Amino acid sequence: MLPQQYSQLISSYLTNRMFRVQQDGEYSGLKTIAAGVPQGSVLGPVLYVLFTSDIPHTTGTTIGTFADDTAVMAVGETTELATSKLQRAINHISDWTKMWRIKLNEAKSVHVDFTLKKTTSIPLVLNDNIIPYSNTAKYLGMTLDAKLRWKEHVKKKKEELVIKYRKMYWLLGRKSELSTENKLLVYKQILKPVWTYGLQLWGCTKMTNISMIQTFQNKVLRGIVNAPWYARNVDIHRDLQVEMVTEVIKKKAAGHQKRLETHVNPNIITLLDKGVTVTRLKRTRPQDLCT
């Protein structure tokens, strides 16, 4: 039980809320918010987590939640076994949302089979609607492909970087009168965070994918200093004191590993287990990025 003053404070926070929509400088009329919490508020995520804390967990599945983004995962020796576990978990979650009047968006839900085998997808049903099947899924800003090779994630990040750079070319390009120091600052504060996000995971991808980001960085740095065609990229990086992408990967991975080693959750230490050998697959693991 909450003290009365807390209850009244939360009640005043959630009731009599209004919203409107802006499009091209035009505003809609005010409408009453019938459910939910104010977007962008500090208390909103806390209240949502409390409201959904009893989401049902089904044996054989794992649920990952971050605010209203929910991922349900199941592991099985066959696609049929994993799908049956997922369907059972989805049914329980669907019943739970109906009880608490939570609306699920079936159209935005995605079903992915993470496997190296060539299999035929078995449909999953949510509220009498078949969940769309895809070879990729975006979760918390990371694009996960069915084979976990990170190629699709890198491609999307490259596309995002190109779009942002085009909009900022007048500021970072060869004809810009902005100082080199300020151009570098803009790149490091706006463009670089786009591709460094999640680097501890997608840094395991093949060098051909990493080179897509390196090529983009080369282009930006050459534009910043108006470099002639014969100037080597490695020299430009050295003179500007900008690390190569592979160097950033190692640095980020080392920092991530250090944080895991001192994490308060004892289960996190299992992520550092290097005793698990990967047979058949020649892939880099996050633990290997520091070496």
Side-chain angles (χ1 to χ4, degrees):
M1 294 292 292
L2 287 174
Q4 184 177 1
Q5 57 269 32
Y6 287 3
S7 177
Q8 292 175 345
L9 179 63
I10 294 177
S11 177
S12 65
Y13 173 77
L14 295 176
T15 55
N16 298 323
R17 287 279 186 174
M18 310 289 288
F19 77 95
R20 62 179 179 178
V21 178
Q22 178 187 5
Q23 178 65 33
D24 296 331
E26 299 294 330
Y27 292 90
S28 67
L30 291 173
K31 300 292 183 180
T32 302
I33 299 177
V37 294
Q39 294 293 312
S41 63
V42 176
L43 187 58
V46 177
L47 294 178
Y48 182 84
V49 169
L50 291 174
F51 187 71
T52 60
S53 61
D54 62 340
I55 186 171
H57 291 70
T58 307
T59 303
T61 61
T62 302
I63 296 181
T65 59
F66 186 86
D68 59 346
D69 287 329
T70 303
V72 185
M73 296 159 282
V75 178
E77 295 183 357
T78 64
T79 304
E80 292 78 7
L81 179 59
T83 305
S84 65
K85 293 180 181 178
L86 277 178
Q87 187 62 70
R88 184 166 61 251
I90 290 173
N91 293 339
H92 291 164
I93 293 174
S94 177
D95 294 339
W96 174 81
T97 57
K98 291 176 181 177
M99 179 178 64
W100 291 109
R101 299 181 180 179
I102 299 175
K103 174 63 177 175
L104 296 175
N105 193 331
E106 298 86 358
K108 288 187 176 180
S109 300
V110 175
H111 168 207
V112 182
D113 290 328
F114 294 98
T115 178
L116 296 176
K117 300 178 181 179
K118 292 184 179 180
T119 60
T120 301
S121 172
I122 301 174
L124 286 170
V125 179
L126 174 61
N127 293 336
D128 298 325
N129 295 307
I130 296 178
I131 299 176
Y133 182 82
S134 176
N135 287 321
T136 62
K138 188 173 182 180
Y139 186 65
L140 303 183
M142 303 292 290
T143 302
L144 309 174
D145 60 274
K147 298 183 185 301
L148 293 180
R149 292 175 175 169
W150 300 108
K151 183 176 182 179
E152 290 301 319
H153 176 79
V154 177
K155 286 175 60 178
K156 289 184 180 296
K157 288 301 175 182
K158 176 68 178 294
E159 293 170 0
E160 182 180 350
L161 286 167
V162 170
I163 293 174
K164 286 181 177 290
Y165 182 54
R166 285 175 180 171
K167 294 180 179 179
M168 301 174 60
Y169 186 77
W170 65 275
L171 194 62
L172 298 177
R174 296 175 180 269
K175 296 182 179 181
S176 172
E177 297 181 358
L178 197 66
S179 66
T180 300
E181 291 77 12
N182 286 331
K183 287 181 180 180
L184 279 175
L185 182 62
V186 171
Y187 170 70
K188 292 178 180 179
Q189 294 296 321
I190 298 179
L191 295 178
K192 188 176 180 180
V194 173
W195 62 264
T196 55
Y197 175 78
L199 195 59
Q200 301 87 343
L201 296 177
W202 74 257
C204 299
T205 191
K206 296 190 300 183
M207 282 302 302
T208 52
N209 297 328
I210 294 175
S211 65
M212 287 194 287
I213 304 299
Q214 184 62 67
T215 300
F216 172 80
Q217 181 167 274
N218 295 343
K219 180 180 179 179
V220 175
L221 297 184
R222 297 185 75 89
I224 285 177
V225 297
N226 193 19
W229 65 268
Y230 54 81
R232 298 195 308 167
N233 291 321
V234 64
D235 294 334
I236 296 174
H237 279 72
R238 182 199 61 219
D239 295 341
L240 294 178
Q241 297 183 352
V242 175
E243 296 172 317
M244 292 287 192
V245 174
T246 52
E247 295 172 347
V248 178
I249 290 175
K250 290 184 178 180
K251 188 175 181 179
K252 289 281 187 179
H256 181 62
Q257 178 173 312
K258 188 175 182 179
R259 287 192 296 272
L260 294 182
E261 291 172 349
T262 58
H263 202 280
V264 295
N265 188 343
N267 294 323
I268 295 297
I269 198 66
T270 59
L271 297 176
L272 298 173
D273 185 13
K274 296 183 179 181
V276 180
T277 58
V278 179
T279 59
R280 191 168 65 88
L281 295 179
K282 296 180 180 179
R283 287 193 179 182
T284 304
R285 297 175 298 170
Q287 304 97 310
D288 304 326
L289 294 177
C290 301
T291 59

